[in-house]
Amino acid sequence: MNERELLTIANLTKSYGNKEILKGVNLHVVQGEIIGYIGPNGAGKSTTIKIILGMEGDYGGEVRLFGENIRQDSVEYKRRIGYVPEIADVYDNLTGYEYLTFIGQLYGVDLDIAANKSQTLMELFGVGEAYHARISSYSKGMRQKLLIISSLLHNPDILFLDEPINGLDANSVMIFKEILAQLAAQGKTIFYSSHLMDVVEKISSRIILLHDGKVAADGTFEQLQAESAGGTLEAIFTQLTDFHDYREIGEQFVAVVQGGQ
Ligand code: ADP
Ligand code: MG
């Protein structure tokens, strides 16, 4: 094993009922990489992340994080992980301050430090004035910023981001991309799962395409371009997932919309 290898997934399988979602996923992630984990809706991206984080125990194969098999059930490794879930239950009745200091303390950060960091990070993200407001008053983008901040308060070594820019405006996305680049430059490892190709294409040092339960492509954007007909990541994605009938589906869709009147 490469000594800087942080995450190893070997022959990972997962089914829900009789539906096989992951059919033998293999991947190796080295420290400092920004992995873009892409795939169509329902491919199993979020499921993969939940398994790695210990939120889904019923799987086949092996996952090693920081060199340890996650089945060993040690919670210690979780302190080194940050996570932005795709769908989050944030406590609406708390204020930003209350929520962030609560999460920070769960991860072992002292209250004072968590409070100071939270306030400064909220200000940098342009939402400092909402720090003491209830989360129920936050917009979708403000909630997303709260989740991003809460995932970073304990300065984790690896960050799992599941559709992290949901609801963020263009300027906030630019700041966020810069944050990720800076974190990676500091040696942090980032696992970025999304179906939004343009951001993945720009930020990832390596792209992994999950399709039909397996890794269908794995390489830098340039490598994927060389292996396929080139073009944008979206074009490569469409080609590798063998998806061609979008015109026909679009036409039929509109025909149904217009029909029956
Ligand atoms: P992605 O994140 O790639 O869009 P998911 O990992 O969320 O995909 O889901 C993969 C598949 O597994 C989907 O078909 C989804 O409906 C199914 N699935 C996810 N979670 C559950 C669950 N808890 N119970 C049953 N099916 C699930
Ligand atoms: Mg998902």
Side-chain angles (χ1 to χ4, degrees):
M1 192 178 102
N2 180 326
E3 63 183 57
R4 289 176 60 227
E5 186 164 319
L6 275 199
L7 171 66
T8 311
I9 296 180
N11 202 26
L12 181 64
T13 56
K14 170 76 192 171
S15 297
Y16 286 114
N18 53 15
K19 199 164 142 200
E20 272 185 286
I21 309 296
L22 303 176
K23 303 178 186 171
V25 170
N26 292 290
L27 61 95
H28 304 262
V29 177
V30 170
Q31 189 202 336
E33 285 189 305
I34 303 183
I35 301 289
Y37 195 53
I38 63 173
N41 288 330
K45 302 182 295 296
S46 297
T47 301
T48 310
I49 292 180
K50 285 186 199 155
I51 291 170
I52 300 168
L53 296 186
M55 298 160 70
E56 283 280 359
D58 183 21
Y59 61 87
E62 193 177 284
V63 178
R64 301 185 78 84
L65 190 53
F66 307 119
E68 260 187 72
N69 188 332
I70 62 164
R71 280 197 208 274
Q72 246 93 68
D73 217 24
S74 117
V75 285
E76 212 36 53
Y77 85 96
K78 293 189 180 165
R79 294 211 173 203
R80 298 175 63 191
I81 298 174
Y83 176 41
V84 175
E86 182 175 20
I87 299 163
D89 289 320
V90 282
Y91 306 99
D92 265 8
N93 283 328
L94 299 185
T95 65
Y97 160 79
E98 288 165 347
Y99 179 74
L100 290 172
T101 51
F102 171 65
I103 299 289
Q105 288 179 93
L106 278 186
Y107 278 107
V109 183
D110 288 343
L111 174 63
D112 288 354
I113 295 174
N116 281 333
K117 267 190 168 181
S118 298
Q119 178 153 25
T120 308
L121 295 176
M122 291 277 285
E123 282 163 6
L124 284 168
F125 242 151
V127 288
E129 81 289 348
Y131 187 45
H132 290 288
R134 280 189 203 283
I135 296 168
S136 55
S137 70
Y138 284 24
S139 69
K140 175 120 184 60
M142 289 161 78
R143 283 164 188 259
Q144 199 60 25
K145 289 174 182 178
L146 191 78
L147 287 176
I148 291 168
I149 292 169
S150 74
S151 76
L152 285 165
L153 282 176
H154 58 299
N155 192 21
D157 292 324
I158 186 165
L159 196 52
F160 291 90
L161 305 169
D162 198 351
E163 308 288 359
I165 61 166
N166 269 346
L168 293 190
D169 62 31
N171 291 349
S172 303
V173 171
M174 285 173 77
I175 295 172
F176 184 59
K177 285 197 288 197
E178 189 57 34
I179 292 169
L180 297 184
Q182 294 288 336
L183 287 170
Q186 304 290 326
K188 307 293 189 186
T189 307
I190 293 159
F191 194 94
Y192 185 111
S193 170
S194 184
H195 63 279
L196 297 173
M197 301 295 144
D198 49 344
V199 175
V200 174
E201 178 183 319
K202 290 197 184 86
I203 61 154
S204 306
S205 58
R206 195 172 133 211
I207 292 163
I208 292 168
L209 169 65
L210 184 66
H211 177 52
D212 199 18
K214 294 196 166 168
V215 174
D218 181 349
T220 63
F221 177 50
E222 290 73 23
Q223 284 166 343
L224 298 197
Q225 272 185 320
E227 283 166 21
S228 57
T232 61
L233 185 57
E234 193 171 69
I236 297 169
F237 178 94
T238 304
Q239 194 188 338
L240 290 171
T241 56
D242 203 26
F243 184 66
H244 304 293
D245 45 0
Y246 61 95
R247 277 215 178 83
E248 206 181 313
I249 294 173
E251 278 168 19
Q252 286 178 8
F253 197 100
V254 172
V256 172
V257 168
Q258 292 184 321
Q261 290 181 352

